[in-house]
Amino acid sequence: MEIIGKVKKLFESQKFDSGFRKREIVITTEEPYPQNILIEFIQDKVDLLENIRPKDKIKVFINIRGREWTNPEGVIKYFNSIQGWKIEDYSPGSSKKTSAISPSLSSDDFDDLPF
């Protein structure tokens, strides 16, 4: 899947004691009812955001992930996340591209999540 839009916000990189890295970005879509979409980049994919700036028009290739979690009271909750794995500049006439080689993430990528 992919999302095209302008970068609204770039958050700072986060690094956890476990070595897990994460950085989030908000993309505003350009459609009749624009949406602000939060996309996270994890581990080595964080590096894809090094040259991205607010107001850049980009295409982000994404995977949608879901998790099940049981809270201390035994109640099961479900969480979704949108994870980016490749970015392309989508400005007219631009040839700049930033991409990742591997589009797939394995379940091992989630073993270091901080929750």
mmCIF file of all heavy atoms in Angstrom, residues 49-75:
data_model
loop_
_atom_site.group_PDB
_atom_site.id
_atom_site.type_symbol
_atom_site.label_atom_id
_atom_site.label_comp_id
_atom_site.label_asym_id
_atom_site.label_seq_id
_atom_site.Cartn_x
_atom_site.Cartn_y
_atom_site.Cartn_z
ATOM 1 N N LEU A 49 14.224 8.738 6.831
ATOM 2 C CA LEU A 49 13.687 10.069 7.091
ATOM 3 C C LEU A 49 14.763 11.152 7.214
ATOM 4 O O LEU A 49 14.444 12.318 7.423
ATOM 5 C CB LEU A 49 12.841 10.041 8.375
ATOM 6 C CG LEU A 49 11.606 9.144 8.302
ATOM 7 C CD1 LEU A 49 10.929 9.045 9.660
ATOM 8 C CD2 LEU A 49 10.629 9.646 7.257
ATOM 9 N N GLU A 50 16.030 10.789 7.049
ATOM 10 C CA GLU A 50 17.124 11.742 7.231
ATOM 11 C C GLU A 50 17.025 12.964 6.323
ATOM 12 O O GLU A 50 17.327 14.070 6.744
ATOM 13 C CB GLU A 50 18.476 11.057 7.006
ATOM 14 C CG GLU A 50 18.904 10.207 8.160
ATOM 15 C CD GLU A 50 20.289 9.603 7.941
ATOM 16 O OE1 GLU A 50 21.015 10.064 7.042
ATOM 17 O OE2 GLU A 50 20.627 8.672 8.678
ATOM 18 N N ASN A 51 16.613 12.786 5.076
ATOM 19 C CA ASN A 51 16.567 13.901 4.122
ATOM 20 C C ASN A 51 15.164 14.430 3.878
ATOM 21 O O ASN A 51 14.954 15.224 2.960
ATOM 22 C CB ASN A 51 17.193 13.460 2.793
ATOM 23 C CG ASN A 51 18.651 13.112 2.957
ATOM 24 O OD1 ASN A 51 19.393 13.820 3.633
ATOM 25 N ND2 ASN A 51 19.067 12.009 2.372
ATOM 26 N N ILE A 52 14.211 14.010 4.673
ATOM 27 C CA ILE A 52 12.824 14.451 4.519
ATOM 28 C C ILE A 52 12.602 15.706 5.356
ATOM 29 O O ILE A 52 13.061 15.800 6.490
ATOM 30 C CB ILE A 52 11.847 13.327 4.948
ATOM 31 C CG1 ILE A 52 12.096 12.061 4.116
ATOM 32 C CG2 ILE A 52 10.396 13.789 4.838
ATOM 33 C CD1 ILE A 52 11.909 12.231 2.625
ATOM 34 N N ARG A 53 11.882 16.674 4.795
ATOM 35 C CA ARG A 53 11.615 17.943 5.470
ATOM 36 C C ARG A 53 10.117 18.244 5.438
ATOM 37 O O ARG A 53 9.404 17.797 4.536
ATOM 38 C CB ARG A 53 12.351 19.091 4.764
ATOM 39 C CG ARG A 53 13.849 18.908 4.685
ATOM 40 C CD ARG A 53 14.508 19.078 6.049
ATOM 41 N NE ARG A 53 15.924 18.771 5.995
ATOM 42 C CZ ARG A 53 16.477 17.669 6.496
ATOM 43 N NH1 ARG A 53 15.739 16.769 7.084
ATOM 44 N NH2 ARG A 53 17.777 17.471 6.424
ATOM 45 N N PRO A 54 9.634 19.048 6.403
ATOM 46 C CA PRO A 54 8.232 19.470 6.353
ATOM 47 C C PRO A 54 7.908 20.121 5.011
ATOM 48 O O PRO A 54 8.747 20.806 4.427
ATOM 49 C CB PRO A 54 8.120 20.468 7.506
ATOM 50 C CG PRO A 54 9.179 20.016 8.475
ATOM 51 C CD PRO A 54 10.322 19.553 7.598
ATOM 52 N N LYS A 55 6.729 19.870 4.528
ATOM 53 C CA LYS A 55 6.177 20.366 3.262
ATOM 54 C C LYS A 55 6.670 19.602 2.036
ATOM 55 O O LYS A 55 6.218 19.873 0.928
ATOM 56 C CB LYS A 55 6.392 21.870 3.094
ATOM 57 C CG LYS A 55 5.714 22.668 4.186
ATOM 58 C CD LYS A 55 5.802 24.135 3.926
ATOM 59 C CE LYS A 55 5.101 24.874 5.067
ATOM 60 N NZ LYS A 55 5.180 26.304 4.940
ATOM 61 N N ASP A 56 7.605 18.637 2.187
ATOM 62 C CA ASP A 56 7.983 17.784 1.066
ATOM 63 C C ASP A 56 6.758 16.975 0.641
ATOM 64 O O ASP A 56 5.993 16.506 1.491
ATOM 65 C CB ASP A 56 9.080 16.785 1.465
ATOM 66 C CG ASP A 56 10.466 17.401 1.566
ATOM 67 O OD1 ASP A 56 10.630 18.580 1.204
ATOM 68 O OD2 ASP A 56 11.381 16.685 2.025
ATOM 69 N N LYS A 57 6.573 16.815 -0.656
ATOM 70 C CA LYS A 57 5.522 15.937 -1.157
ATOM 71 C C LYS A 57 6.164 14.585 -1.438
ATOM 72 O O LYS A 57 7.111 14.504 -2.225
ATOM 73 C CB LYS A 57 4.862 16.496 -2.407
ATOM 74 C CG LYS A 57 3.653 15.688 -2.839
ATOM 75 C CD LYS A 57 2.872 16.371 -3.934
ATOM 76 C CE LYS A 57 1.644 15.562 -4.280
ATOM 77 N NZ LYS A 57 0.868 16.196 -5.359
ATOM 78 N N ILE A 58 5.654 13.546 -0.775
ATOM 79 C CA ILE A 58 6.282 12.229 -0.875
ATOM 80 C C ILE A 58 5.233 11.131 -1.051
ATOM 81 O O ILE A 58 4.051 11.321 -0.774
ATOM 82 C CB ILE A 58 7.151 11.921 0.365
ATOM 83 C CG1 ILE A 58 6.325 11.970 1.650
ATOM 84 C CG2 ILE A 58 8.347 12.858 0.442
ATOM 85 C CD1 ILE A 58 7.098 11.557 2.906
ATOM 86 N N LYS A 59 5.736 10.015 -1.529
ATOM 87 C CA LYS A 59 4.939 8.784 -1.585
ATOM 88 C C LYS A 59 5.586 7.833 -0.578
ATOM 89 O O LYS A 59 6.787 7.574 -0.649
ATOM 90 C CB LYS A 59 4.979 8.155 -2.967
ATOM 91 C CG LYS A 59 4.171 6.847 -3.049
ATOM 92 C CD LYS A 59 4.431 6.064 -4.330
ATOM 93 C CE LYS A 59 3.881 6.762 -5.540
ATOM 94 N NZ LYS A 59 3.971 5.894 -6.760
ATOM 95 N N VAL A 60 4.783 7.352 0.367
ATOM 96 C CA VAL A 60 5.287 6.440 1.396
ATOM 97 C C VAL A 60 4.647 5.076 1.181
ATOM 98 O O VAL A 60 3.416 4.965 1.115
ATOM 99 C CB VAL A 60 4.967 6.948 2.820
ATOM 100 C CG1 VAL A 60 5.535 6.008 3.863
ATOM 101 C CG2 VAL A 60 5.497 8.355 3.024
ATOM 102 N N PHE A 61 5.462 4.061 1.059
ATOM 103 C CA PHE A 61 4.988 2.693 0.944
ATOM 104 C C PHE A 61 4.850 2.148 2.362
ATOM 105 O O PHE A 61 5.772 2.293 3.173
ATOM 106 C CB PHE A 61 5.963 1.861 0.111
ATOM 107 C CG PHE A 61 6.028 2.322 -1.320
ATOM 108 C CD1 PHE A 61 6.815 3.409 -1.677
ATOM 109 C CD2 PHE A 61 5.280 1.686 -2.288
ATOM 110 C CE1 PHE A 61 6.865 3.851 -2.990
ATOM 111 C CE2 PHE A 61 5.325 2.107 -3.609
ATOM 112 C CZ PHE A 61 6.113 3.199 -3.956
ATOM 113 N N ILE A 62 3.705 1.543 2.651
ATOM 114 C CA ILE A 62 3.389 1.183 4.031
ATOM 115 C C ILE A 62 2.916 -0.261 4.169
ATOM 116 O O ILE A 62 2.470 -0.880 3.204
ATOM 117 C CB ILE A 62 2.287 2.102 4.608
ATOM 118 C CG1 ILE A 62 0.993 1.967 3.786
ATOM 119 C CG2 ILE A 62 2.759 3.538 4.682
ATOM 120 C CD1 ILE A 62 -0.231 2.536 4.446
ATOM 121 N N ASN A 63 3.018 -0.744 5.381
ATOM 122 C CA ASN A 63 2.380 -1.981 5.817
ATOM 123 C C ASN A 63 1.503 -1.627 7.007
ATOM 124 O O ASN A 63 1.889 -0.794 7.841
ATOM 125 C CB ASN A 63 3.417 -3.023 6.251
ATOM 126 C CG ASN A 63 4.232 -3.538 5.082
ATOM 127 O OD1 ASN A 63 3.715 -3.779 4.000
ATOM 128 N ND2 ASN A 63 5.523 -3.712 5.302
ATOM 129 N N ILE A 64 0.356 -2.236 7.091
ATOM 130 C CA ILE A 64 -0.514 -2.055 8.254
ATOM 131 C C ILE A 64 -0.301 -3.244 9.169
ATOM 132 O O ILE A 64 -0.364 -4.396 8.736
ATOM 133 C CB ILE A 64 -1.996 -1.941 7.836
ATOM 134 C CG1 ILE A 64 -2.180 -0.699 6.955
ATOM 135 C CG2 ILE A 64 -2.893 -1.872 9.070
ATOM 136 C CD1 ILE A 64 -3.559 -0.546 6.373
ATOM 137 N N ARG A 65 -0.027 -2.959 10.429
ATOM 138 C CA ARG A 65 0.261 -3.995 11.422
ATOM 139 C C ARG A 65 -0.768 -3.949 12.534
ATOM 140 O O ARG A 65 -1.250 -2.884 12.898
ATOM 141 C CB ARG A 65 1.663 -3.793 12.030
ATOM 142 C CG ARG A 65 2.770 -3.847 11.027
ATOM 143 C CD ARG A 65 2.923 -5.247 10.519
ATOM 144 N NE ARG A 65 4.007 -5.317 9.555
ATOM 145 C CZ ARG A 65 4.178 -6.315 8.749
ATOM 146 N NH1 ARG A 65 3.358 -7.339 8.772
ATOM 147 N NH2 ARG A 65 5.172 -6.322 7.895
ATOM 148 N N GLY A 66 -1.073 -5.110 13.090
ATOM 149 C CA GLY A 66 -2.010 -5.202 14.205
ATOM 150 C C GLY A 66 -1.418 -6.058 15.308
ATOM 151 O O GLY A 66 -0.662 -6.994 15.042
ATOM 152 N N ARG A 67 -1.733 -5.711 16.533
ATOM 153 C CA ARG A 67 -1.224 -6.443 17.699
ATOM 154 C C ARG A 67 -2.363 -6.699 18.675
ATOM 155 O O ARG A 67 -3.258 -5.883 18.832
ATOM 156 C CB ARG A 67 -0.159 -5.645 18.440
ATOM 157 C CG ARG A 67 1.122 -5.469 17.693
ATOM 158 C CD ARG A 67 2.150 -4.771 18.561
ATOM 159 N NE ARG A 67 2.559 -5.551 19.707
ATOM 160 C CZ ARG A 67 3.560 -6.412 19.732
ATOM 161 N NH1 ARG A 67 4.247 -6.631 18.639
ATOM 162 N NH2 ARG A 67 3.885 -7.050 20.822
ATOM 163 N N GLU A 68 -2.262 -7.803 19.351
ATOM 164 C CA GLU A 68 -3.177 -8.111 20.451
ATOM 165 C C GLU A 68 -2.377 -7.973 21.746
ATOM 166 O O GLU A 68 -1.229 -8.406 21.829
ATOM 167 C CB GLU A 68 -3.691 -9.539 20.306
ATOM 168 C CG GLU A 68 -4.660 -9.938 21.396
ATOM 169 C CD GLU A 68 -5.159 -11.356 21.195
ATOM 170 O OE1 GLU A 68 -6.058 -11.546 20.353
ATOM 171 O OE2 GLU A 68 -4.635 -12.260 21.877
ATOM 172 N N TRP A 69 -2.992 -7.355 22.756
ATOM 173 C CA TRP A 69 -2.316 -7.144 24.038
ATOM 174 C C TRP A 69 -3.317 -7.381 25.165
ATOM 175 O O TRP A 69 -4.468 -6.950 25.077
ATOM 176 C CB TRP A 69 -1.771 -5.717 24.107
ATOM 177 C CG TRP A 69 -1.145 -5.347 25.410
ATOM 178 C CD1 TRP A 69 0.034 -5.792 25.915
ATOM 179 C CD2 TRP A 69 -1.663 -4.424 26.371
ATOM 180 N NE1 TRP A 69 0.285 -5.200 27.132
ATOM 181 C CE2 TRP A 69 -0.746 -4.354 27.433
ATOM 182 C CE3 TRP A 69 -2.820 -3.646 26.434
ATOM 183 C CZ2 TRP A 69 -0.942 -3.548 28.545
ATOM 184 C CZ3 TRP A 69 -3.011 -2.841 27.541
ATOM 185 C CH2 TRP A 69 -2.076 -2.806 28.578
ATOM 186 N N THR A 70 -2.886 -8.069 26.181
ATOM 187 C CA THR A 70 -3.729 -8.307 27.342
ATOM 188 C C THR A 70 -3.242 -7.416 28.474
ATOM 189 O O THR A 70 -2.079 -7.504 28.885
ATOM 190 C CB THR A 70 -3.676 -9.785 27.776
ATOM 191 O OG1 THR A 70 -4.030 -10.599 26.648
ATOM 192 C CG2 THR A 70 -4.635 -10.056 28.915
ATOM 193 N N ASN A 71 -4.132 -6.557 28.994
ATOM 194 C CA ASN A 71 -3.736 -5.650 30.066
ATOM 195 C C ASN A 71 -3.675 -6.400 31.402
ATOM 196 O O ASN A 71 -4.075 -7.570 31.479
ATOM 197 C CB ASN A 71 -4.638 -4.411 30.116
ATOM 198 C CG ASN A 71 -6.030 -4.683 30.644
ATOM 199 O OD1 ASN A 71 -6.322 -5.731 31.207
ATOM 200 N ND2 ASN A 71 -6.918 -3.713 30.467
ATOM 201 N N PRO A 72 -3.162 -5.773 32.451
ATOM 202 C CA PRO A 72 -3.021 -6.465 33.743
ATOM 203 C C PRO A 72 -4.337 -7.014 34.315
ATOM 204 O O PRO A 72 -4.325 -7.956 35.103
ATOM 205 C CB PRO A 72 -2.443 -5.389 34.661
ATOM 206 C CG PRO A 72 -1.726 -4.459 33.738
ATOM 207 C CD PRO A 72 -2.545 -4.456 32.476
ATOM 208 N N GLU A 73 -5.459 -6.441 33.914
ATOM 209 C CA GLU A 73 -6.766 -6.925 34.385
ATOM 210 C C GLU A 73 -7.286 -8.084 33.538
ATOM 211 O O GLU A 73 -8.379 -8.589 33.777
ATOM 212 C CB GLU A 73 -7.797 -5.790 34.393
ATOM 213 C CG GLU A 73 -7.539 -4.707 35.425
ATOM 214 C CD GLU A 73 -6.461 -3.729 34.981
ATOM 215 O OE1 GLU A 73 -6.351 -3.456 33.767
ATOM 216 O OE2 GLU A 73 -5.711 -3.256 35.860
ATOM 217 N N GLY A 74 -6.530 -8.488 32.526
ATOM 218 C CA GLY A 74 -6.931 -9.605 31.678
ATOM 219 C C GLY A 74 -7.791 -9.218 30.488
ATOM 220 O O GLY A 74 -8.288 -10.080 29.774
ATOM 221 N N VAL A 75 -7.976 -7.923 30.267
ATOM 222 C CA VAL A 75 -8.785 -7.460 29.142
ATOM 223 C C VAL A 75 -7.898 -7.408 27.893
ATOM 224 O O VAL A 75 -6.816 -6.842 27.906
ATOM 225 C CB VAL A 75 -9.375 -6.057 29.430
ATOM 226 C CG1 VAL A 75 -10.146 -5.543 28.224
ATOM 227 C CG2 VAL A 75 -10.258 -6.099 30.670
#
